[in-house]
Amino acid sequence: MSSAPSFSFEFFPPRSDEAAARLAEARRALLPLRPGYVSVTFGAGGSTRDLTLDTVATLQRQDGVPVAPHISCVGATAASLSELLDAYRALGIRRLVALRGDLPSGMGDTPGEFRYASDLVAFIRRQTGDWFHLEVAAYPEVHPQARSARADLEAFVRKVQAGADGAITQYFFNADAYFRFCDAAAAAGVTVPIVPGVMPITNYTQLARFSAACGAEIPRWLARRLEDYGDDLDGLRAFGLDVTLALCRRLLEGGAPGIHFYTLNRAEPTATLWQALGLGQPTESC
């Protein structure tokens, strides 16, 4: 694992003026922390393609921080992906997060010309060579649609063999799951860095909904403690900070090559974690 940890943030493209204002506020607060890069999500089936592209262009041109757009292949064609890759190259983008992606509601079970993220990684390499640094997804607690843990690990290995440079995990709250996954990946010949994703805890209802959808386990003890706070959001957030801070510290002390923060376009929880971890003070605002 790398001796110089990399820290990064995830944003999502806004769909309303209110959401745009919240993202702008998050940018003003978080980007002066000088992360290694920021990623921008891509909606199911490419549903936010133009919003993602616009958000990426704004970040790349105005903020001076490297940007890594998410790009997914479910429902996409080779022609549409080539067009998008050309657009990102024209913007000077050098990093992508390559994902299979989810089928949007009502699309049925037809994935399009690409079925797996490994197909997407191989396509990007054929089209662009080594222009892009490619991150892929990893699931320490097993992808919710995987047939088995072994099948999920094999799928991850195929993505790396297809040309991935690194991986970002789904968020989790069990550090042992992450370290065991890394050990299993290493035993399978994986040598690229696997960066853990961390989700700050600010809203239990929202966290439970996200976790049910993506297969991230909320340990029973943690769920019951969070339930106890009820409407006491300040108390919940203070407790959540303690939990995620302890998780981050254990990951870094255990040799994790960095942390990717799922910000949900909200600055304060991630900034608080950043400063508590001693990762540095803000530089002059971007």
Side-chain angles (χ1 to χ4, degrees):
M1 290 187 178
S2 172
S3 60
S6 171
F7 300 94
S8 51
F9 303 142
E10 178 184 281
F11 295 140
F12 63 85
R15 294 175 179 262
S16 66
D17 291 343
E18 179 182 0
R22 187 162 65 244
L23 175 57
E25 180 181 351
R27 287 166 51 204
R28 284 193 296 270
L30 292 177
L31 296 187
L33 298 175
R34 311 310 297 176
Y37 68 92
V38 298
S39 70
V40 181
T41 65
F42 196 73
S47 58
T48 66
R49 170 178 160 152
D50 291 342
L51 291 174
T52 298
L53 184 57
D54 291 345
T55 302
V56 167
T58 297
L59 290 166
Q60 182 78 355
R61 291 169 176 162
Q62 296 182 11
D63 295 326
V65 174
V67 185
H70 289 205
I71 182 169
S72 68
C73 62
V74 164
T77 64
S80 67
L81 288 173
S82 292
E83 180 184 13
L84 190 56
L85 292 172
D86 288 344
Y88 286 139
R89 290 188 72 171
L91 285 171
I93 299 298
R94 298 303 302 265
R95 183 187 295 257
L96 295 174
V97 181
L99 308 168
R100 186 199 70 170
D102 298 317
L103 284 168
S105 178
M107 191 173 180
D109 297 324
T110 304
E113 295 181 28
F114 300 85
R115 182 170 293 274
Y116 302 113
S118 55
D119 299 331
L120 175 60
V121 172
F123 175 79
I124 295 172
R125 286 295 180 227
R126 289 195 302 270
Q127 294 292 112
T128 66
D130 293 331
W131 176 268
F132 293 110
H133 177 107
L134 296 180
E135 303 283 355
V136 294
Y139 295 86
E141 295 176 321
V142 184
H143 191 285
Q145 296 176 359
R147 296 189 309 276
S148 66
R150 180 186 297 275
D152 191 43
L153 177 63
E154 291 171 349
F156 175 68
V157 172
R158 286 194 295 272
K159 289 187 286 189
V160 175
Q161 291 174 338
D165 297 295
I168 303 167
T169 77
Q170 179 59 268
Y171 71 86
F172 55 86
F173 297 102
N174 182 347
D176 287 339
Y178 167 77
F179 289 121
R180 288 182 180 275
F181 179 83
C182 291
D183 288 345
V190 171
T191 59
V192 302
I194 302 173
V195 174
V198 169
M199 175 80 79
I201 300 173
T202 60
N203 181 309
Y204 176 59
T205 300
Q206 182 185 58
L207 181 66
R209 184 173 70 252
F210 288 167
S211 300
C214 70
E217 179 183 352
I218 304 177
R220 183 176 182 275
W221 72 268
L222 178 56
R224 298 304 298 270
R225 288 289 303 273
L226 293 172
E227 289 169 356
D228 282 346
Y229 284 96
D231 295 330
D232 179 11
L233 293 182
D234 289 340
L236 182 148
R237 288 167 182 161
F239 173 71
L241 172 64
D242 288 343
V243 170
T244 49
L245 181 58
L247 174 63
C248 290
R249 284 175 171 157
R250 184 175 175 201
L251 291 169
L252 294 173
E253 289 168 0
I259 295 175
H260 186 70
F261 294 95
Y262 295 105
T263 72
L264 299 180
N265 289 7
R266 298 187 182 278
E268 184 178 356
T270 297
T272 301
L273 278 171
W274 184 280
Q275 292 168 11
L277 289 167
L279 302 180
Q281 296 299 315
T283 60
E284 185 176 343
S285 181
C286 295

